[in-house]
Amino acid sequence: MTITGESGVGDTNANLRQQRLQKLFDDCEKQVIGQLIGPFGLSIAMFEDRDGGNVTTLRNFSREDADYIAERDVRSHEQSRKEYDRDDYMASDHQKISDRVRASGRDHYTGKATPPEQMDMDHVTSLNAIHENKKVHLAHRTGDDRSRVRNMANAEENLAATDRSINRSKGAAPLAEFQKNKGERFGMDPKLVAEVATRSNDHIRSTTKIALLQKQGQELLVTGGKQAMQMGVRQAFGLLLAELVNGLFNEVKMLIRHGVEAGQTLFDDLRQRLARVVKAVARKIPDAVGQMLQGGVSGFMSNLLTFLLNNLVSTEKRFVTAIREGILGLIKACKMILFPPPTMTGEESLRQGLKDLSVVVASTVGLLIRESVNGFVMTVPLLAPFADIVALALVGILTGLVSAFAAYQIDCLFDRHLNRHGEKFMDELLADAGRRATFASELVAISGTSLENLSSYARAIDLYDQTSETFEAAKLTSSATLASLEELVAEAEEQVANSKATADYIASSQPEIEEFLKTI
């Protein structure tokens, strides 16, 4: 390897390292500001995350504590934990319903004809069993209005007329269990009992399922739309605010470094610098609109994902926050990797996508440890009154620095991958540059020859023009000569015709001449 090559490689690597370090410093500044404004700034101010998310799942509702339940379902949760009170589930027109059910005069469990006055109306699925069903309380919102659960419990599908002795012996026991233990004694028909039980179970299950789907679906749309709007506004406002803060920070830094421009007062200089920052922020408005749409999608999806996760495991509010912030970063990273901009190569989009993922990981870890940092700050007497603010600032700064350092390591990794052949690779580049230089020299020589040929072609074209003019003059002379020849030919033809006519005349007159000569 030549000395020039070694020097070129060294200079290139040194310049690349210098560029990477400078980019690391710039990214540290941007990431720290972005984290303090975004996840650890505007998010804390705009979102009130709670354990379990915005929509109560059956899993969380079934817990004994109400920590993971949305505020709107707290009263229903309390109602489901109260002691059973039959009056809470009895219909106001109970007697009318009972009379209508018993009017058939047939025992629904035995199939026997029985006078209505000897029968009771039985709730196939007992009111006590309905009260113990947590899903019923969540779906029918028993904390606000128990009319829905009363209508379900006292619907015809859950009612049966049976002999008083059967009803009073059964009590609140499950119908299938009672039939198994005492059905034969009371003459109950297993087939009829199974049909009645199936009808009741299907009614309770389907009514509750539909009510729960409607409730949770409506709440998902409302809370998801609200979170989408908040997330969209946060992203748009955060982008513009970050641009404003970065611009002001850079302008102040330049002012300190270079001072006021010559010939201007401090006020004029500040006004011009502020105008530049405002213009830069204004140029970001189209990007802010795009960020608003992207933030809206991520906000709705994070609300939905939080709900789905809480069907499997109860999530604390810090995980809810991490999910919301993580979804946004994941969407951005996946979009960058799978649908790279036209101006970026596949490798560049992959690099940027990995950087976005590293920001997601760093932000998620920061959000998860924020409460621990807050607890630690609380132990410092002087900082205890400001623990929340100090913890947010510390975690935000740490998260920004970690994100920038991770991005730096990703750049270095890609650089090492691109230059994995080291000096051999650089030698090949230099050799290729030499070949290109030789080719360029040959191309210059060929171009000179081509120019000379073009000059010869120009001279030849001039000669061709002169020859063409000569040919044109010759053409005119030939045309005149041809015309003269045509006239001569015409005169000759006329003379030949006259001579032929004379010869014919002489030939025809020959006998007469001969006769005349004979007479002489």
Side-chain angles (χ1 to χ4, degrees):
M1 182 172 171
T2 62
I3 296 177
T4 302
E6 291 177 353
S7 177
V9 173
D11 292 342
T12 301
N13 290 334
N15 290 335
L16 185 59
R17 284 194 298 271
Q18 185 64 30
Q19 291 175 3
R20 290 294 177 225
L21 287 174
Q22 184 59 46
K23 191 172 187 304
L24 172 61
F25 298 145
D26 295 339
D27 286 346
C28 285
E29 175 186 323
K30 292 179 181 179
Q31 287 292 343
V32 168
I33 292 176
Q35 291 292 335
L36 291 176
I37 290 176
F40 300 96
L42 293 176
S43 280
I44 304 301
M46 297 180 65
F47 295 91
E48 295 182 2
D49 294 317
R50 54 177 298 116
D51 295 335
N54 298 317
V55 180
T56 305
T57 62
L58 181 59
R59 175 187 177 84
N60 291 340
F61 192 84
S62 300
R63 294 170 59 101
E64 289 301 320
D65 60 277
D67 296 339
Y68 291 82
I69 298 175
E71 186 176 352
R72 70 182 71 87
D73 298 313
V74 171
R75 292 182 60 188
S76 297
H77 184 266
E78 293 174 352
Q79 175 65 25
S80 69
R81 266 64 185 172
K82 288 181 179 180
E83 291 186 6
Y84 167 64
D85 185 351
R86 181 180 175 84
D87 293 338
D88 288 341
Y89 302 95
M90 291 295 291
S92 59
D93 54 348
H94 172 75
Q95 189 59 47
K96 291 182 179 179
I97 296 174
S98 177
D99 293 343
R100 186 173 66 249
V101 172
R102 293 182 291 111
S104 64
R106 184 178 67 88
D107 191 310
H108 292 164
Y109 295 152
T110 64
K112 298 177 181 179
T114 306
E117 61 272 12
Q118 296 181 12
M119 291 191 296
D120 284 343
M121 182 187 72
D122 179 43
H123 290 88
V124 181
T125 299
S126 68
L127 298 180
N128 188 27
I130 292 175
H131 173 76
E132 296 297 329
N133 190 332
K134 301 300 185 289
K135 188 175 182 179
V136 167
H137 288 275
L138 176 61
H140 294 285
R141 309 173 191 178
T142 58
D144 300 326
D145 180 11
R146 285 187 283 278
S147 62
R148 287 185 292 268
V149 72
R150 288 195 193 104
N151 293 336
M152 180 192 71
N154 294 281
E156 184 178 349
E157 292 84 355
N158 192 44
L159 300 176
T162 187
D163 190 273
R164 289 177 179 175
S165 60
I166 296 177
N167 181 53
R168 295 173 185 181
S169 178
K170 171 179 174 289
L175 179 59
E177 180 182 336
F178 179 78
Q179 191 276 328
K180 179 180 179 181
N181 296 331
K182 298 181 180 181
E184 186 175 354
R185 170 188 168 188
F186 287 100
M188 299 174 69
D189 186 337
K191 183 177 180 181
L192 290 177
V193 171
E195 290 177 355
V196 173
T198 300
R199 182 185 64 183
S200 173
N201 291 335
D202 289 346
H203 166 67
I204 299 296
R205 187 183 302 110
S206 62
T207 303
T208 303
K209 181 180 180 180
I210 292 173
L212 185 60
L213 287 175
Q214 290 177 343
K215 174 184 182 296
Q216 292 179 336
Q218 180 182 5
E219 290 175 356
L220 281 173
L221 288 176
V222 173
T223 59
K226 180 180 178 181
Q227 186 156 305
M229 182 180 66
Q230 288 177 322
M231 199 67 176
V233 171
R234 195 211 79 174
Q235 284 301 107
F237 185 65
L239 177 65
L240 297 178
L241 186 58
E243 183 68 22
L244 175 63
V245 173
N246 274 311
L248 291 174
F249 184 80
N250 290 331
E251 289 295 340
V252 170
K253 192 164 56 173
M254 294 297 293
L255 178 62
I256 295 174
R257 182 178 300 174
H258 301 290
V260 179
E261 294 185 7
Q264 288 187 340
T265 63
L266 176 61
F267 178 77
D268 291 335
D269 187 74
L270 290 175
R271 183 172 54 81
Q272 291 182 1
R273 293 181 184 277
L274 182 59
R276 284 199 296 268
V277 173
V278 171
K279 289 181 180 179
V281 173
R283 286 195 295 269
K284 285 289 184 178
I285 291 178
D287 294 336
V289 174
Q291 286 292 316
M292 177 179 289
L293 297 176
Q294 187 170 301
V297 172
S298 66
F300 187 86
M301 290 182 61
S302 63
N303 188 65
L304 178 60
L305 179 60
T306 301
F307 169 75
L308 295 176
L309 286 176
N310 275 275
N311 282 282
L312 303 175
V313 59
S314 299
T315 59
E316 298 179 5
K317 62 181 179 181
R318 56 178 178 171
F319 289 100
V320 174
T321 306
I323 290 171
R324 185 186 65 247
E325 298 300 326
I327 286 292
L328 178 63
L330 287 176
I331 291 176
K332 184 178 179 181
C334 292
K335 180 182 178 182
M336 178 60 65
I337 295 174
L338 299 178
F339 308 101
T343 56
M344 297 179 67
T345 64
E347 182 178 310
E348 290 173 341
S349 64
L350 177 60
R351 179 186 300 203
Q352 186 59 46
L354 291 177
K355 290 181 182 179
D356 293 337
L357 286 176
S358 68
V359 174
V360 172
V361 174
S363 299
T364 301
V365 173
L367 291 168
L368 295 180
I369 67 172
R370 181 173 64 87
E371 292 185 4
S372 299
V373 175
N374 188 38
F376 173 76
V377 175
M378 288 287 292
T379 62
V380 181
L382 293 177
L383 299 179
F386 315 101
D388 290 338
I389 298 176
V390 174
L392 286 175
L394 288 176
V395 177
I397 293 172
L398 180 61
T399 301
L401 294 177
V402 170
S403 300
F405 184 72
Y408 172 75
Q409 291 298 325
I410 290 173
D411 281 334
C412 292
L413 178 63
F414 272 80
D415 291 339
R416 286 195 296 271
H417 174 72
L418 292 175
N419 300 306
R420 61 186 180 276
H421 298 297
E423 294 183 355
K424 182 179 178 181
F425 178 73
M426 296 302 296
D427 282 342
E428 181 60 30
L429 289 179
L430 292 173
D432 181 67
R435 290 191 294 269
R436 291 175 182 272
T438 302
F439 174 75
S441 299
E442 294 176 353
L443 187 61
V444 170
I446 293 172
S447 299
T449 303
S450 299
L451 291 174
E452 292 179 358
N453 291 335
L454 288 174
S455 178
S456 300
Y457 291 152
R459 290 195 298 271
I461 289 172
D462 291 338
L463 293 176
Y464 289 151
D465 289 340
Q466 295 175 6
T467 304
S468 176
E469 292 175 357
T470 302
F471 284 155
E472 188 67 26
K475 177 182 177 182
L476 295 175
T477 303
S478 299
S479 297
T481 303
L482 179 61
S484 299
L485 290 174
E486 287 177 349
E487 292 179 359
L488 292 174
V489 169
E491 292 176 357
E493 288 178 349
E494 184 178 356
Q495 291 177 0
V496 169
N498 292 334
S499 298
K500 183 177 179 182
T502 302
D504 290 340
Y505 176 76
I506 292 173
S508 62
S509 302
Q510 187 67 32
E512 294 180 358
I513 295 173
E514 289 179 355
E515 286 293 331
F516 176 74
L517 292 176
K518 287 179 181 182
T519 59
I520 296 176

